[in-house]
Amino acid sequence: MSASAEEKDVYDEINITPMLDLAYVLLVIFIIMTTASVQGIKVNLPKASETPALAKPKTKAVSITADGTIYLDTYPVTLPELENLLRQYKAQDPELPVIIKADSTIQYQKVVDVLDLVGRLEITQLGLVTQRLVK
């Protein structure tokens, strides 16, 4: 009778070890999938140089102020005027370097319009100016 009494005993504790194993495996899978989707495409980021951006006198600077005014060097221009002037400069120098400086509060569309214009003119030497971080 003692054997049948042991068989009738009910376990009053749940074995959670397999459930925790499954939870840990799923956690690892989700971590791997999330970091893989966030990283995106690897690119070689440019390195900043110690020389000033306008070291060469032939470099043209396009500046966009907080109110949306576009300047070529120090002269205010409209977008069509900027296109004509850059086209003339590119005809003189096919390797014309251009840098773009924009106020941090400017609408992003203005910068995209200037970048699109530079792309249409096939200007390949392009720089975006940012503030240097103090180390």
Side-chain angles (χ1 to χ4, degrees):
M1 267 199 182
S2 66
S4 64
E6 289 178 11
E7 291 176 6
K8 291 181 183 178
D9 287 342
V10 179
Y11 292 107
D12 58 349
E13 293 181 12
I14 299 174
N15 187 3
I16 61 168
T17 304
M19 187 170 41
L20 287 177
D21 289 344
L22 178 64
Y24 291 141
V25 168
L26 288 175
L27 180 66
V28 169
I29 289 172
F30 287 134
I31 289 173
I32 291 172
M33 293 303 291
T34 302
T35 56
S37 66
V38 169
Q39 288 178 353
I41 299 171
K42 289 186 177 183
V43 293
N44 290 330
L45 296 175
K47 304 284 188 276
S49 65
E50 294 296 322
T51 59
L54 292 175
K56 299 178 184 176
K58 64 180 182 175
T59 300
K60 295 298 172 190
V62 178
S63 303
I64 307 171
T65 59
D67 63 355
T69 306
I70 301 172
Y71 290 86
L72 179 62
D73 292 331
T74 57
Y75 303 104
V77 292
T78 63
L79 211 53
E81 291 172 346
L82 177 66
E83 183 173 4
N84 290 335
L85 289 171
L86 286 178
R87 190 180 311 271
Q88 291 173 7
Y89 289 129
K90 178 148 172 67
Q92 294 172 1
D93 181 14
E95 297 297 321
L96 176 71
V98 174
I99 61 169
I100 298 175
K101 299 187 293 186
D103 193 270
S104 62
T105 59
I106 191 68
Q107 289 183 355
Y108 194 60
Q109 185 62 45
K110 283 281 193 183
V111 177
V112 170
D113 290 342
V114 172
L115 287 173
D116 184 44
L117 178 121
V118 169
R120 278 195 316 254
L121 294 176
E122 298 178 4
I123 296 174
T124 56
Q125 294 190 23
L126 175 67
L128 298 174
V129 178
T130 59
Q131 281 186 341
R132 182 172 298 181
L133 294 176
V134 178
K135 293 183 181 179

